[in-house]
Amino acid sequence: MPRGQVSVVPADGLTTRARRNRPLLAVHTGEMKGKSTAAFGMAMRAWNQGWPIAVYQFVKSAKWRVGEENALTALGRLHAQTGEGGPVVWHKMGSGWSWSRRQGTEVDHAGDAAEGWAQIKRDLAAEAHRFYVLDEFTYPLKWGWVDVEDVVDTLVHRPGTQHVVVTGRDAPPALVEAADLVVEMTKVKHPMDAGQKGQRGIEW
């Protein structure tokens, strides 16, 4: 969108202001790193606007405290102390299962994922937050642990002005079709291709 100019003005009956402020459903997918990082960057912008933020982390160990969690929860504490920015909550859904499926059983993970999605549905219905990050949520969708049709219907018909960002590889086509903004991270080069493993400050 060069210079902030839209290429199409839809006949939707909305004013320019109303259309500009319409809440978005975004999907960050693709094989390359940066999907969650980009979502958390958007969350920082939302925090700066004073919006209540909720992160639902569906993948990675529940014991793994990633850098973005430390940063965003610190911003949440700053809001509580000074009123600056917005409140922040960070949920590690279920038992903290991993996309590698090395811990627990598939049945346990499926139940955890379903429970996590049920909580998100309750929060959306209550308009509990203004900005949501559903981190690595595409995996339980891909594996059939959470019903794609239910997710798409809930997100499309969410009330109020709630923005939602879903991250993870292999986003289902129905979710991609429903989203307002979709980005696919594609690898051009990666340090691991040259034998260099992830490092602190870059990967976590």
Side-chain angles (χ1 to χ4, degrees):
M1 207 164 66
R3 302 185 184 86
Q5 299 299 314
V6 298
S7 58
V8 175
V9 178
D12 53 14
L14 297 177
T15 65
T16 299
R17 179 184 295 272
R19 189 180 304 111
R20 179 174 190 172
N21 294 326
R22 182 174 60 86
L24 298 179
L25 170 59
V27 174
H28 297 177
T29 192
E31 67 173 12
M32 185 56 167
K33 69 186 298 292
K35 298 177 287 293
S36 297
T37 304
F40 295 137
M42 293 173 70
M44 301 264 303
R45 290 177 173 175
W47 179 87
N48 187 57
Q49 296 298 321
W51 295 356
I53 298 166
V55 177
Y56 304 84
Q57 189 179 33
F58 275 84
V59 174
K60 303 182 178 72
S61 168
K63 297 180 181 179
W64 184 9
R65 193 172 178 85
V66 298
E68 293 92 343
E69 179 183 0
N70 288 334
L72 282 171
T73 53
L75 290 175
R77 290 194 299 273
L78 179 63
H79 169 76
Q81 295 166 2
T82 68
E84 185 176 357
V88 178
V89 294
W90 188 293
H91 301 287
K92 293 182 178 179
M93 311 311 294
S95 59
W97 39 268
S98 166
W99 62 267
S100 64
R101 302 195 191 188
R102 291 176 181 170
Q103 298 179 353
T105 67
E106 183 170 338
V107 174
D108 292 337
H109 293 337
D112 291 339
E115 180 183 345
W117 169 240
Q119 180 61 53
I120 293 170
K121 289 182 69 173
R122 289 191 291 268
D123 288 348
L124 287 168
E127 299 183 50
H129 312 286
R130 183 79 184 274
F131 189 91
Y132 297 71
V133 177
L134 278 53
D135 188 36
E136 311 284 19
F137 188 48
T138 60
Y139 295 103
L141 297 177
K142 177 181 178 180
W143 296 331
W145 294 348
V146 177
D147 182 67
V148 173
E149 184 176 346
D150 181 42
V151 168
V152 170
D153 183 69
T154 299
L155 295 180
V156 168
H157 297 102
R158 67 195 185 282
T161 55
Q162 302 177 100
H163 299 267
V164 179
V165 184
V166 178
T167 76
R169 297 185 181 195
D170 302 316
L175 179 61
V176 170
E177 178 65 26
D180 303 290
L181 186 158
V182 180
V183 62
E184 184 173 13
M185 301 292 188
T186 302
K187 185 178 76 170
V188 177
K189 296 179 70 175
H190 195 290
M192 290 189 70
D193 297 335
Q196 181 176 352
K197 293 185 177 181
Q199 58 180 297
R200 65 180 63 194
I202 302 298
E203 302 291 343
W204 68 88

